[in-house]
Amino acid sequence: MPVEFTVFLFLMGLGCGLVSAQIKVSPALTCLTSLYFFLPAIDIPVENLISVIIASTIVACLPTHLYSWLKGMKSGQVEYALLLKYAPGFAMGGVIGAQLVSLASFQVILAFLSFSLLLSVFVSTMQWRYIKLQSIPNFPLPIGLLAGGISLLGGNDGHIVSRLLNHLHHRNPENSEGTLHGMSLFLSFAALIGFVFPAVPPSLPSMMSLGFGLIGSIYLPAATTLAVGLFLGTLLSHWQVSQYEHKILLVCFNLYLIVCLFRIWQ
């Protein structure tokens, strides 16, 4: 992999790690939208490599999810009941979703990516304290399976759907981050298996410009570099912002997602 591309991925991972950790958003979706914006600028065709980009991004988020989950477990801020309820379905959905990513056309993946962007904006802006549901459908396995598959097709790590489930179950907000990263960890690790053995391997000629290192659908050098940047960005994001500053940052991020939505379908 060229040195310039390595530096580019590291800096992008560092920035996405800082943003996702500070305003509590999906690191995979943050990285994927950034790559979709900037890869064409360095003559890397997104259309031909979308499955590789999604696979490498999801795998790159694994160390960050593991660190945040272990940190939440150490401080006792994990909702084990919610995690164990949906984790098996998420794991199954991860394997199936990874296979579907290799089979789906570029337009289908863009449609699911657009759905992920809209869902992220909706979940982050909805006033959930006013939502009073009487009960949640008690079908955790199919719900988790469907959520995991749709999440991967939309290029994210299940973080958005997990936050939605956490809101609907009215769990303690202080325990949400450890729980969400735990769900994303189960989904991403299961997806790793599906990406290593994809239903349809990516086209090798389109990868020749980046060099060797392709394992299934995962471009290992890019995934490793992005993972290091994301992890360091998460570690560096320790300062506290006020509630007002958090809202401003979240509004800016949602505007960025809306711009991405228009960029996808222009």
Side-chain angles (χ1 to χ4, degrees), residues 50-122:
I50 189 63
S51 63
V52 176
I53 294 171
I54 291 177
S56 302
T57 302
I58 297 296
V59 172
C61 294
L62 274 169
T64 300
H65 291 317
L66 179 60
Y67 167 76
S68 300
W69 182 49
L70 292 177
K71 183 180 177 182
M73 290 179 63
K74 185 177 180 180
S75 59
Q77 294 181 329
V78 175
E79 294 284 352
Y80 293 102
L82 187 64
L83 179 62
L84 295 176
K85 182 176 182 179
Y86 290 104
F90 267 62
M92 293 174 62
V95 177
I96 296 173
Q99 299 293 306
L100 293 177
V101 167
S102 66
L103 292 169
S105 65
F106 182 63
Q107 288 72 22
V108 171
I109 291 178
L110 288 187
F112 279 97
L113 176 58
S114 301
F115 174 75
S116 294
L117 297 177
L118 292 173
L119 185 62
S120 179
V121 174
F122 171 75

Side-chain angles (χ1 to χ4, degrees), residues 218-240:
I218 304 168
Y219 186 48
L220 190 58
T224 303
T225 306
L226 200 59
V228 172
L230 275 169
F231 187 68
L232 288 179
T234 302
L235 292 179
L236 292 173
S237 183
H238 282 307
W239 68 87
Q240 296 294 324

Side-chain angles (χ1 to χ4, degrees), residues 29-210:
L29 190 64
T30 307
C31 287
L32 184 65
T33 51
S34 301
L35 290 172
Y36 191 89
F37 258 108
F38 293 109
L39 285 181
I42 55 177
D43 297 324
I44 296 180
V46 177
E47 294 82 358
N48 300 333
L49 299 173
I50 189 63
S51 63
V52 176
I53 294 171
I54 291 177
S56 302
T57 302
I58 297 296
V59 172
C61 294
L62 274 169
T64 300
H65 291 317
L66 179 60
Y67 167 76
S68 300
W69 182 49
L70 292 177
K71 183 180 177 182
M73 290 179 63
K74 185 177 180 180
S75 59
Q77 294 181 329
V78 175
E79 294 284 352
Y80 293 102
L82 187 64
L83 179 62
L84 295 176
K85 182 176 182 179
Y86 290 104
F90 267 62
M92 293 174 62
V95 177
I96 296 173
Q99 299 293 306
L100 293 177
V101 167
S102 66
L103 292 169
S105 65
F106 182 63
Q107 288 72 22
V108 171
I109 291 178
L110 288 187
F112 279 97
L113 176 58
S114 301
F115 174 75
S116 294
L117 297 177
L118 292 173
L119 185 62
S120 179
V121 174
F122 171 75
V123 172
S124 63
T125 56
M126 184 68 179
Q127 298 295 322
W128 293 101
R129 64 179 178 272
Y130 299 123
I131 304 298
K132 301 296 183 182
L133 296 181
Q134 297 299 321
S135 62
I136 304 295
N138 193 24
F139 303 106
L141 188 61
I143 290 175
L145 194 153
L146 182 63
I150 292 177
S151 294
L152 283 181
L153 280 171
N156 72 82
D157 47 13
H159 206 79
I160 303 168
V161 179
S162 300
R163 190 173 295 277
L164 177 62
L165 291 172
N166 187 75
H167 284 310
L168 293 177
H169 282 274
H170 299 285
R171 298 298 183 178
N172 186 354
E174 295 181 356
N175 298 342
S176 62
E177 292 309 309
T179 308
L180 301 186
H181 283 286
M183 289 187 181
S184 296
L185 178 66
F186 278 97
L187 177 63
S188 301
F189 189 78
L192 172 65
I193 301 173
F195 287 134
V196 171
F197 304 101
V200 178
S203 175
L204 289 178
S206 60
M207 296 295 298
M208 294 306 295
S209 60
L210 299 178

